[in-house]
Amino acid sequence: VTGVQTCALPIWFRVLLILVSPVSFVVVESIAGSAGKTDAIIRFESQRDSRPETTAECSPVLAVLFDELSFSYLYEHDRVRLEYPALSGVASRATNYLAAAAPGPETLVSMPSLLAARHLRDIRVDGAGIFETTDAGTVVPFTAGRPEALFPTARMLGFRTEMAGYYLPYCQLLDGLADACQSLSFYNASLVDERFNPLDPILTTLILWPRQFPFGLLKNPPFARLQRGLVEHTAAFAMRPMQGTRPVFRFVHFSIPHLPFVFDAEGYDPPFDPLRTSPDTAYVRQLHYVDTLFGSLMDRMRADGTFDKTTIVVLADHGFRFGGIEHDARQIPFIVKKPQQTERAVITAPVQGEQLLKDTLKSACRPA
């Protein structure tokens, strides 16, 4: 057809039509509704003070797990490197297990194994929950509630049980086995906002994008901000007083030095690309903040008089998965400082991390 002229609308006018269209209102309403319904932080606090019937006398136990904390980067031969003064200071008066093995190569397997106090063959997630594959090859719902598991053992010994962490729904997995619990989402941007923010659904979507270029350019800022929020919430839980009417068993899963690498030794200082894994400079940079944060936690315990009364455990779920100087990502740091311990000890015999954590918990108790 010839001789027909069309009239193109100005761009600004077309944008205005889109903004005031009914479709736009539906989208905005959906975004606002989704932001208000998400649970970025799950908290539970029990006021139960009655001590279970037990003949054991236990000292408090604080187990601090740093996600992707590498033995190869932390240790030089059989000693923690001096450039990590807080960790090396505690390790110099603690028992260092030099052949501790992670339960699995990734957090999804290692953390449930630690809670179950047994080696799990495989863990998978679907819409109905978390499932494990048995040795027979069948798939069954995962549970941390068997009598031989970590938190039931702690309860049986008379501990007040506390758990904080990210990535997995710990409060749901423990299902009442923790007297205090905090679960943090690794993907929900609303975690760092005290009030409703209509941008949170958009920022959450960006966090879920791939980290490769060019998507990472938009993913980096909200993901860095989320990492800071995760660390702040977890550190606040870890630094709660350890004193009480019952001995406390507190298990804390920190999201660092795992990416995004947004901290240096002094604190939050995100680089342009906090998701870059090679070279390993950003990982090492954040590892120095792990030491700073651990030092602050130890200083708090010294100040309130609980440092020398508490069994302190430092461990990892696995090592650095992206190469560098990593020798074996299944070899993990496992440091145990018992109450009043002043002499350094070294254990070179191979041991599984999930069993060692339970054994350490039990060794904090003695018959009355």
Side-chain angles (χ1 to χ4, degrees):
V1 179
T2 59
V4 178
Q5 295 182 345
T6 59
C7 179
L9 295 175
I11 293 178
W12 66 266
F13 188 70
R14 281 181 284 172
V15 172
L16 180 63
L17 288 177
I18 293 173
L19 291 176
V20 300
S21 70
V23 174
S24 296
F25 289 116
V26 170
V27 171
V28 171
E29 181 182 7
S30 299
I31 290 175
S34 65
K37 295 177 182 178
T38 53
D39 292 321
I41 307 175
I42 304 296
R43 289 192 179 97
F44 173 79
E45 188 85 37
S46 172
Q47 301 303 317
R48 183 177 65 93
D49 289 326
S50 59
R51 184 183 178 97
E53 293 185 7
T54 176
T55 59
E57 291 185 358
C58 306
S59 65
V61 178
L62 173 63
V64 184
L65 186 147
F66 291 105
D67 199 299
E68 209 157 315
L69 178 64
S70 167
F71 183 94
S72 302
Y73 281 82
L74 185 63
Y75 275 81
E76 186 171 19
H77 305 301
D78 63 347
R79 292 182 178 271
V80 175
R81 299 172 190 268
L82 295 180
E83 55 259 42
Y84 306 111
L87 287 162
S88 64
V90 169
S92 68
R93 54 182 297 181
T95 303
N96 296 252
Y97 292 85
L98 303 184
E106 57 183 343
T107 306
L108 183 59
V109 175
S110 286
M111 292 306 301
S113 295
L114 290 167
L115 293 180
R118 57 189 172 88
H119 180 71
L120 301 177
R121 178 177 176 180
D122 180 51
I123 290 289
R124 62 185 66 180
V125 179
D126 67 18
I130 297 179
F131 296 82
E132 65 171 294
T133 303
T134 67
D135 292 338
T138 59
V139 178
V140 298
F142 168 76
T143 177
R146 294 183 181 179
E148 71 275 10
L150 185 65
F151 275 75
T153 298
R155 278 282 184 87
M156 180 271 295
L157 291 169
F159 284 98
R160 171 180 168 81
T161 53
E162 301 182 357
M163 176 80 200
Y166 86 115
Y167 187 71
L168 290 176
Y170 291 114
C171 299
Q172 177 184 343
L173 291 178
L174 291 173
D175 191 23
L177 292 170
D179 295 309
C181 185
Q182 176 179 273
S183 295
L184 305 172
S185 171
F186 191 43
Y187 305 104
N188 194 329
S190 63
L191 178 144
V192 295
D193 292 313
E194 295 182 1
R195 299 180 180 179
F196 167 71
N197 184 346
L199 292 178
D200 283 340
I202 298 174
L203 298 176
T204 298
T205 300
L206 296 179
I207 289 171
L208 291 170
W209 278 13
R211 62 187 180 90
Q212 288 76 16
F213 180 86
F215 303 102
L217 295 179
L218 294 177
K219 177 188 180 83
N220 288 346
F223 205 19
R225 179 172 169 264
L226 177 62
Q227 178 74 295
R228 179 176 63 178
L230 288 170
V231 172
E232 289 175 349
H233 284 292
T234 310
F237 190 98
M239 293 186 184
R240 291 154 48 116
M242 294 290 292
Q243 300 160 325
T245 57
R246 291 183 292 147
V248 174
F249 168 54
R250 181 177 300 158
F251 189 13
V252 183
H253 176 196
F254 276 98
S255 59
I256 53 175
H258 187 287
L259 58 76
F261 307 121
V262 300
F263 295 97
D264 61 17
E266 303 302 320
Y268 184 72
D269 185 20
F272 175 74
D273 184 3
L275 300 177
R276 186 176 182 180
T277 58
S278 181
D280 60 3
T281 309
Y283 173 82
V284 173
R285 182 175 178 263
Q286 189 148 279
L287 187 53
H288 281 280
Y289 184 69
V290 167
D291 188 71
T292 299
L293 181 61
F294 181 72
S296 298
L297 178 56
M298 295 301 100
D299 288 344
R300 176 69 63 90
M301 296 182 69
R302 291 185 180 97
D304 65 19
T306 57
F307 178 81
D308 285 322
K309 301 176 182 178
T310 303
T311 296
I312 299 169
V313 184
V314 179
L315 72 159
D317 54 344
H318 54 78
F320 185 52
R321 295 171 297 150
F322 299 100
I325 65 170
E326 184 63 77
H327 299 305
D328 179 5
R330 294 290 290 269
Q331 182 186 14
I332 57 172
F334 207 111
I335 302 168
V336 179
K337 187 208 74 68
K338 295 185 177 182
Q340 305 298 332
Q341 183 174 353
T342 59
E343 298 294 327
R344 177 177 177 269
V346 171
I347 305 295
T348 58
V351 63
Q352 283 295 131
E354 65 274 17
Q355 186 60 53
L356 180 55
L357 181 59
K358 179 181 173 180
D359 290 344
T360 301
L361 174 68
K362 293 170 68 175
S363 69
C365 303
R366 59 181 178 84

